Amino acid sequence: TPAIADPTRPVLRVDIVENEDVVIVRQRAREQSHRAGFSLLETTKVVTAASELARNTLEHGGGGYAELEICTDGSRRGVRMRFIDTGPGIPDVEQALRDGFTTGKGLGLGLGGSRRLVSEFEIETGAGRGTKVTVVRWK
C-alpha cells in the first residue's frame, strides 16, 4: 500500500539555500516526528537522515527544497521527506550509495547511511537533471 499524505497535516516546505536552512530542516523533521508519535530513537534517525539529505541538497545540488509530511499506510503512521534540487545530478548512484562513500562534508554518513536510517528510500537522478530523494520512516 503506498503511503498516503495525512490531509489534516499540511506539507512543510523548506527552501534549502544556505547552511541555516539545514538547521530549519532538522527542526521541521523533529516536529513532524513528534506529531507522528515517534520515540526519541525514531526521531533521532529521522532528524539525522534529514540533516544529511538537506546537506547533500545544498552542497551537491546547489540548493533546492525539502518537503516534510506525516503519512499513513493503513494502521501505520510515518514521516515522508522529499529533497529536490536542480543540480548536476548523481552520475553513479550505486557508488554514491556504497558504504563509506562520502565527500567529507556533513555527518559523513553519505546516502548509504541515510538509507539505513529510514524504512523506504527512493532516488531519482541523472547527470544534468538534478536529484530527488524521497524517504519514509514508519513508526
Side-chain angles (χ1 to χ4, degrees):
T1 312
I4 300 164
D6 182 340
T8 65
R9 305 282 187 191
V11 174
L12 299 180
R13 181 185 157 129
V14 180
D15 289 322
I16 304 171
V17 293
E18 57 188 12
N19 283 321
E20 288 71 27
D21 298 330
V22 176
V23 176
I24 295 170
V25 169
R26 288 173 60 92
Q27 291 167 346
R28 297 294 173 267
R30 185 172 285 112
E31 291 164 10
Q32 295 290 54
S33 296
H34 286 310
R35 287 187 187 120
F38 280 20
S39 69
L40 179 60
L41 179 62
E42 290 165 330
T43 297
T44 300
K45 289 179 177 182
V46 169
V47 170
T48 302
S51 183
E52 192 73 2
L53 295 168
R55 170 87 35 219
N56 282 353
T57 299
L58 183 61
E59 306 265 339
H60 305 297
Y65 64 95
E67 293 178 340
L68 301 88
E69 65 186 339
I70 294 174
C71 56
T72 59
D73 170 13
S75 59
R76 295 190 299 176
R77 287 172 73 79
V79 175
R80 177 168 42 210
M81 303 185 289
R82 289 187 195 87
F83 297 85
I84 297 144
D85 69 60
T86 55
I90 302 170
D92 186 344
V93 173
E94 287 306 310
Q95 182 196 30
L97 284 169
R98 209 168 294 137
D99 275 353
F101 182 81
T102 177
T103 55
K105 305 276 179 147
L107 300 169
L109 292 174
L111 287 172
S114 300
R115 180 169 62 175
R116 278 198 308 280
L117 293 168
V118 296
S119 312
E120 296 175 21
F121 183 99
E122 181 185 343
I123 186 162
E124 298 169 49
T125 187
R129 57 186 195 90
T131 302
K132 176 180 175 183
V133 178
T134 304
V135 298
V136 179
R137 172 84 195 186
W138 293 109
K139 181 175 174 7

